[in-house]
Amino acid sequence: MSNQLAGSLSPYLLQHAHNPVDWHPWGAAALAKARTEQKPIFLSIGYSACHWCHVMERESFENPTVAGVLNAHFVSIKVDREERPDLDDLYMDAVQTLTGRGGWPMSVWLTPELEPFYAGTYFPPESRGGMPGFVPLLTRIAEVWREDRAGVVGQARALAAELQRQAAVEPGDGLPDAPVVDAALQQLRQGFDARWGGFGPAPKFPQQLAVELILARGSVEDRAMALRTLDAMWEGGMYDHLGGGFARYSVDGQWLVPHFEKMLYDNAQLACAYLTAFQATGEPRYAQVAGETLDYLLRDLRDPSGGFHSSEDADSEGEEGKFYVFTPAEVREALGEVDGARFCTAFGITEQGNFEHGRSVVHRFSCPPRARLAEEDDRALREQLRLWRDRRVRPGKDDKVLAAWNGLALSAMARGYQVLGDPRYLDAAQACAGFLRRELWRDGRLLRVWRQGQAHTPGFLEDSAAVVDGLVDLYEAGFDPAWLSWAEALAEGLLARFEDSAEGGFFSTEADQADLIFRQKPGFDNAVPGGNTLAARALLRLSRHLQREEFRLAAEGALRCFGPWMQRAPRAFLGLLGVLDLALREPVEVAISGDPGSPAVRALLAEVHCRHLPGRVLSVSEDQLLPLREDRAASEEGPFAFVCRGRTCARPVTSPVELAALLA
């Protein structure tokens, strides 16, 4: 028997469609039911790849006793946090305020007016390990609602007011200056794990924003921190050495045992971080990791329509990590006795194991130097074992396509083509942009979610901003001005719908959204950069291509708005500080006159793409479509390259050697 989630598109909601709980999707009908019946709302927020969400479903939401209490006393609503990040952000703040911590599954109790009064994360059905049991907790909340509703409502109103106070942003007077970036670098130095890399203790999350900021602005010593972190993540088990791509985080300080779910947003950003490291160092291993990560996205997360799916689960066959771990016997079965033994030594697969049930997480760092495989053997055996692994039951996949995360993937594919030169990545970037415009761009507005041919949910700030940023990267890869034109239209809509023109910065939602108790202005950078980071970066970069002053001023308005917060807690704003660094430095502008597909132009572009030039602006055109290209046409002598820093331009050059000298 199904509940109200049976008609949903979200894979996460569909996972709960046959629970005995009378679940409702978030929407007008469910909210009206709570108001009409004057019942509190039990709001459960999670996502498809969440391991503990699956655990709570099995233990509680499939439990008839739990369902009976929920159905009798509450209006139960399920939300996919990836479809509604605004609800997730708002009520996660409530969870953290009430409990001091957060996570998923998120469990929040609301009044019919949507104000939270109690919250937590995972609850077992009965009390254990110091955690309150879900059944007695539900019973007690229902009792208090019945006997002291006025007190509960008053508490909820006070909490909602406190959340709004905490979310308020007092804008700064001017643009922050360079010392705030230096303060963030100092905090990263203090938190750096010199042995294992990363910034802080376990659990360790990928720190792509930290790596990008360090490589752009840090000293030689700082750069060593970033590179050690990239190396340690690649050498550990968080990287999928067979299939490419990274898991969500490492549960230990060595990057050995991952939480096995694989997210599109992590892998898109990490591919970019490794591409940046390759540009900065020339070390082939960074190009290898970036390429294998992009190949993972193409092989395992790409929809036939051109977009990219959201994630792969941690679990398969009811066990976390089962798809990814091995015993020596399994490796020998796949590779043969001799090669299997060599592989086990090189990748840390032992009889005792390093994970559950005597299995091993594949990793590199425990390999003795003498046992390392030659490059050709390494690649061939990893691929052979991957193909053998693919016969296993794969983890579940969340195949919905999200605009913001696809904007990140669009950037990754476009930059992958620029740096690695593989035309597959340009083809994928163009197909992704075409998909977004065809399927999610409706009547001048961007939608957020697409699945199985259906699009829904008005886009949020992060959606428009990430897609604009990705389109700038796509233009700088293929130089089709149509992508900049669409980016301009998206940016104009972003300003009209999300900008706080009075105090600067951007709200995450449009002004007319009726199902929120207040609008938030997201500043902090998390696993996905904050909406203001994405918007400021995209608008600043686009302004330098199109000479649109209002775009630059809006970007700087966001930096001014969060200036005081950045000064108080710089490490919480690493992405926004990266945008500040771009705003403060004089951009390197490279304009090439000629046919983007000609060998001579490609040779000039190779000199640009092989270098780490933070904030550089790149254009190629045969005509005068772009303001940056004004009065810079090709001649019969061949393509010219113009290099400008700030308001100073060097004489035009025609050869890669001359261009290299200007960029060095």
Side-chain angles (χ1 to χ4, degrees):
M1 183 175 179
S2 59
N3 53 47
Q4 303 294 320
L5 303 182
S8 300
L9 281 174
S10 161
Y12 174 66
L13 268 56
L14 290 172
Q15 288 168 4
H16 296 78
H18 299 285
N19 296 161
V21 176
D22 183 23
W23 288 116
H24 297 259
W26 181 279
L31 303 185
K33 178 179 173 66
R35 287 192 296 270
T36 300
E37 298 180 6
Q38 280 301 293
K39 286 182 177 179
I41 293 169
F42 170 60
L43 175 63
S44 178
I45 301 181
Y47 59 104
S48 177
C50 167
H51 171 71
W52 284 101
C53 299
H54 301 327
V55 173
M56 193 166 177
E57 184 201 5
R58 289 194 300 268
E59 292 181 342
S60 292
F61 301 140
E62 293 181 356
N63 183 317
T65 302
V66 171
V69 179
L70 281 171
N71 296 344
H73 301 291
F74 302 90
V75 174
S76 299
I77 298 179
K78 261 287 173 193
V79 167
D80 183 335
R81 68 177 292 257
E82 296 167 355
E83 290 188 345
R84 289 297 302 267
D86 56 334
L87 296 175
D88 183 63
D89 289 345
L90 175 60
Y91 292 114
M92 182 60 76
D93 286 348
V95 174
Q96 292 173 331
T97 298
L98 289 169
T99 70
R101 60 186 179 86
W104 298 274
M106 189 199 308
S107 303
V108 190
W109 285 262
L110 316 177
T111 68
E113 287 70 40
L114 310 184
E115 294 172 332
F117 62 87
Y118 193 84
T121 53
Y122 161 81
F123 293 101
E126 302 296 338
S127 302
R128 67 168 184 253
M131 290 183 288
F134 200 45
V135 171
L137 177 63
L138 289 171
T139 303
R140 178 58 182 158
I141 291 174
E143 179 183 308
V144 172
W145 179 259
R146 184 172 60 249
E147 296 179 356
D148 185 22
R149 184 174 307 182
V152 173
V153 169
Q155 174 185 323
R157 286 177 181 163
L159 176 57
E162 173 60 18
L163 293 174
Q164 190 163 9
R165 186 196 66 78
Q166 292 177 9
V169 181
E170 294 291 334
D173 294 330
L175 202 65
D177 51 18
V180 70
V181 181
D182 297 332
L185 293 173
Q186 180 57 29
Q187 288 187 345
L188 290 171
R189 294 179 198 116
Q190 292 169 350
F192 179 62
D193 181 344
R195 181 175 183 187
W196 294 107
F199 303 92
K204 284 185 174 176
F205 289 81
Q207 296 278 338
Q208 49 267 33
L209 292 175
V211 167
E212 294 274 10
L213 183 64
I214 289 170
L215 293 178
R217 183 61 184 267
S219 65
V220 173
E221 293 77 13
D222 294 335
R223 179 173 291 195
M225 296 191 306
L227 299 179
R228 174 60 189 135
T229 298
L230 293 177
D231 286 340
M233 287 195 298
W234 166 63
E235 292 168 350
M238 208 179 85
Y239 184 66
D240 181 356
H241 294 275
L242 306 186
F246 290 84
R248 176 77 274 269
Y249 64 87
S250 171
V251 302
D252 58 79
Q254 299 173 277
W255 306 100
L256 174 58
V257 178
H259 185 46
F260 290 90
E261 65 193 38
K262 294 168 83 172
M263 313 300 295
L264 174 61
Y265 58 76
D266 281 324
N267 284 287
Q269 293 178 91
L270 283 166
C272 290
Y274 281 88
L275 289 169
T276 299
F278 177 58
Q279 289 176 309
T281 67
E283 290 288 345
R285 65 183 178 277
Y286 299 130
Q288 174 191 325
V289 175
E292 289 177 357
T293 301
L294 294 173
D295 290 347
Y296 159 69
L297 298 183
L298 290 179
R299 183 185 64 245
D300 293 334
L301 287 188
R302 194 179 186 201
D303 190 89
S305 298
F308 289 89
H309 298 154
S310 295
S311 63
E312 287 194 294
D313 210 326
D315 299 8
S316 57
E317 301 182 80
E319 292 184 32
E320 184 178 8
K322 185 175 182 179
F323 181 76
Y324 295 101
V325 294
F326 290 89
T327 63
E330 289 170 328
V331 176
R332 290 194 297 269
E333 178 186 338
L335 304 181
E337 289 293 330
V338 175
D339 284 339
R342 294 169 63 214
F343 190 94
C344 287
T345 303
F347 286 91
I349 300 169
T350 63
E351 294 294 341
Q352 64 270 27
N354 55 38
F355 189 60
E356 299 166 354
H357 311 301
R359 299 187 182 107
S360 293
V361 176
V362 181
H363 69 285
R364 291 181 183 271
F365 64 75
S366 63
C367 176
R370 67 181 183 282
R372 289 176 185 156
L373 300 174
E375 181 179 345
E376 186 174 338
D377 285 348
D378 182 286
R379 185 184 305 110
L381 292 178
R382 286 189 296 123
E383 176 65 5
Q384 186 176 342
L385 188 56
R386 181 188 72 80
L387 294 172
W388 187 89
R389 186 183 74 176
D390 280 348
R391 291 155 39 191
R392 292 174 168 175
V393 176
R394 286 194 73 90
K397 182 165 68 170
D398 188 326
D399 61 353
K400 68 176 179 292
V401 177
L402 299 173
W405 298 8
N406 272 255
L408 299 175
L410 173 57
S411 285
M413 289 293 163
R415 290 186 58 191
Y417 172 69
Q418 293 173 34
V419 178
L420 304 179
D422 189 327
R424 294 179 304 136
Y425 303 145
L426 179 59
D427 291 344
Q430 292 169 335
C432 180
F435 168 89
L436 292 168
R437 187 166 60 183
R438 182 179 68 251
E439 301 292 344
L440 290 171
W441 180 242
R442 302 283 173 79
D443 301 321
R445 289 176 180 259
L446 190 68
L447 299 178
R448 177 171 176 82
V449 186
W450 179 94
R451 183 170 184 261
Q452 296 180 351
Q454 298 183 61
H456 64 91
T457 305
F460 301 100
L461 169 66
E462 66 175 32
D463 295 299
S464 292
V467 173
V468 171
D469 203 38
L471 290 171
V472 174
D473 283 313
L474 178 55
Y475 170 74
E476 293 188 349
F479 307 104
D480 181 348
W483 297 123
L484 277 190
S485 296
W486 188 36
E488 186 174 22
L490 279 164
E492 290 170 345
L494 187 157
L495 294 185
R497 297 184 183 105
F498 301 106
E499 186 183 18
D500 182 349
S501 56
E503 296 193 336
F506 303 90
F507 295 105
S508 60
T509 57
E510 296 190 39
D512 59 355
Q513 197 162 317
D515 59 355
L516 292 176
I517 54 177
F518 61 87
R519 292 173 89 190
Q520 290 187 297
K521 191 185 287 188
F524 295 111
D525 292 305
N526 295 302
V528 176
N532 274 271
T533 293
L534 292 168
R537 184 171 69 200
L539 291 168
L540 182 63
R541 296 181 67 204
L542 191 60
S543 75
R544 290 174 173 176
H545 274 287
L546 301 178
Q547 311 303 307
R548 291 282 299 266
E549 272 294 286
E550 65 269 43
F551 293 168
R552 179 186 66 80
L553 292 173
E556 292 182 356
L559 296 171
R560 281 195 302 275
C561 179
F562 289 98
W565 283 26
M566 287 190 274
Q567 290 169 345
R568 287 195 296 268
R571 192 172 161 181
F573 295 90
L574 296 177
L576 206 54
L577 289 171
V579 181
L580 176 63
D581 180 55
L582 294 183
L584 294 176
R585 69 169 71 232
E586 288 187 332
V588 175
E589 299 183 358
V590 182
I592 299 175
S593 299
D595 176 3
S598 72
V601 169
R602 301 306 309 169
L604 292 171
L605 287 171
E607 291 298 332
V608 180
H609 291 318
C610 73
R611 287 173 169 75
H612 181 219
L613 301 168
R616 67 107 173 91
V617 182
L618 178 63
S619 70
V620 179
S621 179
E622 291 184 287
D623 52 33
Q624 310 300 317
L625 287 176
L626 301 175
L628 182 62
R629 301 281 305 103
E630 196 171 332
D631 298 326
R632 300 174 184 175
S635 74
E636 294 179 357
E637 301 175 36
F640 282 104
F642 302 83
V643 177
C644 303
R645 285 182 174 85
R647 298 182 181 276
T648 303
C649 295
R651 65 176 182 82
V653 297
T654 59
S655 74
V657 173
E658 293 173 300
L659 179 57
L662 289 178
L663 297 176

